[in-house]
Amino acid sequence: MADNGIFAEHADTYARMSVRSPPNTHYDRPAILRLAGDLAGKRVLELGCAAGVLTAQLVERGADVLALDREPRLVELARERMGDRARVEVADLERPLDVASESVDVVVASLVLHFLADWAPILGELRRCLAPGGALVFSVHHPITGWLLSDRTDYHRTELIDEEWDWSGQRVTARMYRRPLSAIFGALRAAGFAIDVVDEPRPTPDAAVDPDLFEILETKPVFLFVRALRSEVG
């Protein structure tokens, strides 16, 4: 996994910022929830739950949620937010998941998979955990955005890139993996998933955000969203 000590070092800052962060509030989370669909009574596994903002929205839509994150402080904050409304656990996504086979209806992974260099192990685990016909809904930084942040010498490779973020006035540097579209969809197919929806949404119409940021979210590729279904064979 890309070394992002920023989430451990600045967990409380990130937790406060993410509640109202425009890209999360008006762009990422609405798209994730729309692709997840009707969650009433569904068993949902959430990867990279951070401080539990999306977790709460999943529960509000009737989901029975198991939320996982690598950082103990973020898990602590998510537990404070959720109480007994969801189960929140520490988990390393590069290791086998402590989740029963075929026990999940929907997996949600908001802006987390791009921190993993190799998708084969986690996608294999997710296919195992999902019930037949279950869905994986995820967002990642868009490959075009990643390409512009790279040295642009080889589009076809998967490579670490750095991006500077502003967390409530504090500049932090995140590291993530940029990969070509063929690597994203090839990994899903190889793991036994069928691609159902590919989305490049715009921000919600009522987004009250800085005009420059709104222009970026409205006109440029920022995140890529995918819904993939567990295939019956594979």
Side-chain angles (χ1 to χ4, degrees):
M1 178 174 275
D3 181 11
N4 277 293
I6 56 173
F7 292 103
E9 186 178 352
H10 305 291
D12 290 80
T13 299
Y14 177 72
R16 290 191 299 270
M17 180 276 303
S18 65
V19 173
R20 294 184 177 83
S21 165
N24 297 108
T25 303
H26 301 291
Y27 184 62
D28 179 70
R29 289 194 286 261
I32 287 286
L33 292 168
R34 176 167 44 80
L35 290 181
D38 181 5
L39 295 176
K42 296 289 182 66
R43 301 163 297 176
V44 174
L45 173 63
E46 182 190 4
L47 308 183
C49 68
V53 179
L54 179 58
T55 314
Q57 294 178 329
L58 296 168
V59 169
E60 287 166 3
R61 285 158 176 76
D64 176 11
V65 180
L66 167 59
L68 307 177
D69 201 277
R70 184 185 184 186
E71 299 300 337
R73 176 54 180 161
L74 288 174
V75 167
E76 181 182 351
L77 292 168
R79 286 173 175 167
E80 290 176 4
R81 182 187 303 277
M82 297 308 302
D84 61 0
R85 295 185 295 150
R87 179 181 159 205
V88 187
E89 302 291 345
V90 176
D92 185 344
L93 299 186
E94 292 185 305
R95 297 181 177 276
L97 301 177
D98 186 17
V99 180
S101 298
E102 299 190 355
S103 65
V104 175
D105 299 306
V106 180
V107 174
V108 168
S110 169
L111 301 175
V112 64
L113 293 179
H114 48 231
F115 295 125
L116 301 176
D118 182 5
W119 282 13
I122 185 61
L123 291 180
E125 277 293 278
L126 297 181
R127 187 183 186 282
R128 177 187 65 79
C129 296
L130 279 166
L136 164 61
V137 174
F138 69 90
S139 57
V140 292
H141 276 64
H142 200 288
I144 292 177
T145 303
W147 170 247
L148 295 175
L149 291 169
S150 74
D151 62 14
R152 293 181 241 180
T153 58
D154 183 1
Y155 169 78
H156 298 285
R157 72 184 179 190
T158 295
E159 60 183 328
L160 267 175
I161 58 170
D162 294 344
E163 185 174 26
E164 273 208 350
W165 295 339
D166 181 348
W167 284 0
S168 301
Q170 185 168 22
R171 304 299 296 183
V172 299
T173 300
R175 308 198 80 196
M176 67 197 78
Y177 288 94
R178 179 208 69 82
R179 67 196 78 221
L181 285 167
S182 56
I184 291 173
F185 296 114
L188 289 165
R189 292 288 298 269
F193 285 93
I195 311 305
D196 185 40
V197 178
V198 177
D199 199 5
E200 297 167 302
R202 291 183 165 91
T204 56
D206 61 343
V209 302
D210 174 83
D212 291 338
L213 176 57
F214 186 86
E215 178 73 8
I216 291 171
L217 297 176
E218 178 71 20
T219 64
K220 294 178 173 56
V222 180
F223 302 153
L224 179 72
F225 296 79
V226 177
R227 182 169 67 212
L229 305 180
R230 181 189 189 273
S231 300
E232 293 304 311
V233 295

